[in-house]
Amino acid sequence: MRKTARWLIPGLVLVFLVLNKWRPWDKPATAEKRSKAGGRGGEVIEVRAYQVKPEDVENEILATGSILANESVELTSEISGRVTRINFREGSRVRKGDLLLQINDADLQAQFNRASAQLKLAQDTEARQKKQLAIEAISQEEYEAALNRLNTAKADVQLIQAQIDKARIQAPFDGVIGLRSVSEGAYLNAGSRIATLVSINPVKIDFAVPERYQSLLSKEQPVLFRVQGESDAYSGRIYAVEPQIDTEIRSVRCRALSPNPDGRIKPGAFAQVRITLQKLEDALMIPSESLIPDAQNQSVFVVRNGRALDTTVVIGLRTADKVQIVSGLAAGDTVMTTGLLQVRPGSTVKVTELN
């Protein structure tokens, strides 16, 4: 019994070593070989990377806005009367000063003729009285009375002429006239709508930009915009910036002008606006997925001599898929874009794809 136990224990140890593939003739791995085997468990991690290089970048933001007419007015009448003539076609172009609509002014014309005759008489009387005053044939008071009648007659003529002008509805500017709301022969009340007149070349683009970009806005700044139903992009320039921030939406309102010679851009349309705030030359840009954010700073993994090195960076401008590196990297550095969760500082990596 004692002899059996003496051979059983060494036999069990031998079986254990064989099962674990122990070979006493194998040499133990050196520290140098273990170091070359990889940073984690001897594994070489395959990653994709991006080589940092200077490039020109435009700082752009997107905004939504509306298309406005350059000028727009609701044509109305200041006086009441019957419409005797309509001189425009709906949807047609008109020139500034064109007679669009005439209201019956026969009574005003009669009043104007009478007032003009009285003015002519007052002018002749004043001229005679002035000559008589020069030779002291009349008193100063008599001449001043004649001069007062002349001034009153002039005012009467001007008043009636103003009423006649109100009976003539003229185009205040060049533009396109819309659908009319009156017909010839209809009685028009004061303030009644006649039609809409708009000037659509150029058009205005009204949009709002978040307040954090207000310092980067200026006059003559270029914008690009698209409208629904049009595949082409249109260009314009900012001509005015609201001097105060809208406290409800925390944005600053801007307006741009864009040529519209063929009238394709319609006022009231929804616009998607792209604004170029600034242009950066020779900026160091890397893909956004390379960044590793933490509570205090941003870092990236730089590949050098087959090793992944954790490097802290300072970021600047962001675009849709890239971010500017202000400090921490230099042109020619290689930063990892994949495998960020698998590697540790000092891990051995192999770049399989370099962009």
Side-chain angles (χ1 to χ4, degrees):
M1 185 71 176
R2 225 179 268 165
K3 184 177 179 180
T4 302
R6 190 167 60 246
W7 289 102
L8 179 61
I9 294 175
L12 292 175
V13 173
L14 180 60
V15 171
F16 175 79
L17 294 176
V18 171
L19 291 176
N20 284 274
K21 299 181 180 179
W22 176 73
R23 299 180 179 89
W25 53 86
D26 287 345
K27 295 181 180 180
T30 64
E32 182 181 359
K33 290 183 178 179
R34 286 196 302 270
S35 175
K36 292 182 179 179
R40 186 172 63 178
E43 180 184 3
V44 177
I45 303 174
E46 294 184 349
V47 298
R48 290 195 294 269
Y50 179 86
Q51 188 172 39
V52 181
K53 49 187 174 295
E55 56 184 283
D56 295 340
V57 182
E58 292 184 348
N59 184 10
E60 296 180 334
I61 58 172
L62 298 177
T64 58
S66 299
I67 304 299
L68 305 176
N70 186 39
E71 301 291 348
S72 178
V73 64
E74 289 283 340
L75 297 173
T76 59
S77 173
E78 295 183 64
I79 62 174
S80 300
R82 191 168 303 281
V83 177
T84 58
R85 185 170 47 175
I86 295 177
N87 278 357
F88 66 88
R89 288 184 301 139
E90 296 167 300
S92 64
R93 293 184 178 272
V94 297
R95 305 287 294 178
K96 180 178 180 179
D98 286 352
L99 177 64
L100 304 179
L101 182 141
Q102 176 68 59
I103 296 176
N104 183 18
D105 62 351
D107 56 339
L108 294 175
Q109 292 290 349
Q111 294 178 35
F112 180 80
N113 292 335
R114 183 178 65 180
S116 297
Q118 292 176 346
L119 175 60
K120 181 65 171 61
L121 177 61
Q123 287 174 334
D124 294 341
T125 303
E126 186 272 339
R128 288 194 302 270
Q129 296 287 62
K130 189 174 184 179
K131 291 178 181 179
Q132 291 180 349
L133 178 64
I135 61 175
E136 298 182 352
I138 60 173
S139 64
Q140 181 70 30
E141 289 78 7
E142 290 176 307
Y143 170 73
E144 290 179 352
L147 181 61
N148 182 61
R149 287 192 293 272
L150 172 61
N151 291 334
T152 301
K154 287 181 179 179
D156 290 342
V157 171
Q158 292 172 352
L159 177 61
I160 298 171
Q161 183 61 58
Q163 295 295 317
I164 292 175
D165 291 342
K166 291 179 180 180
R168 296 168 52 88
I169 309 301
Q170 295 175 299
F173 49 80
D174 296 351
V176 178
I177 199 161
L179 307 180
R180 58 183 171 90
S181 302
V182 296
S183 299
E184 193 170 311
Y187 187 84
L188 193 64
N189 292 315
S192 297
R193 179 183 180 278
I194 299 171
T196 301
L197 177 64
V198 295
S199 172
I200 58 174
N201 184 29
V203 291
K204 297 175 180 177
I205 307 96
D206 197 357
F207 58 94
V209 174
E211 63 176 319
R212 64 180 177 272
Y213 299 116
Q214 60 171 321
S215 61
L216 301 176
L217 296 172
S218 63
K219 290 184 178 180
E220 298 302 317
Q221 204 159 3
V223 300
L224 293 175
F225 66 96
R226 295 180 182 273
V227 296
Q228 292 184 348
E230 292 285 345
S231 58
D232 296 334
Y234 300 95
S235 62
R237 289 190 177 274
I238 294 176
Y239 77 93
V241 179
E242 189 73 48
Q244 62 181 4
I245 295 173
D246 190 326
T247 56
E248 293 185 0
I249 59 175
R250 309 309 307 180
S251 298
V252 58
R253 290 182 59 197
C254 307
R255 277 187 181 168
L257 282 176
S258 177
N260 188 32
D262 53 4
R264 292 176 61 185
I265 310 173
K266 302 298 183 184
F270 174 81
Q272 294 178 323
V273 187
R274 183 185 299 273
I275 309 103
T276 301
L277 297 177
Q278 60 182 154
K279 294 183 178 180
L280 302 177
E281 295 182 354
D282 296 332
L284 297 181
M285 307 294 292
I286 65 170
S288 301
E289 60 265 27
S290 297
L291 282 179
I292 306 172
D294 58 30
Q296 296 181 345
N297 50 39
Q298 307 270 1
S299 63
V300 297
F301 276 116
V302 177
V303 179
R304 287 179 185 158
N305 300 321
R307 297 283 182 174
L309 304 180
D310 188 19
T311 304
T312 300
V313 295
V314 177
I315 66 173
L317 169 69
R318 284 183 179 270
T319 64
D321 57 354
K322 289 186 177 181
V323 61
Q324 179 195 10
I325 301 300
V326 178
S327 65
L329 294 177
D333 285 345
T334 301
V335 296
M336 293 171 43
T337 57
T338 63
L340 303 180
L341 298 179
Q342 288 76 30
V343 301
R344 295 177 182 174
S347 295
T348 302
V349 296
K350 177 182 178 182
V351 177
T352 59
E353 183 180 331
L354 181 63
N355 295 323

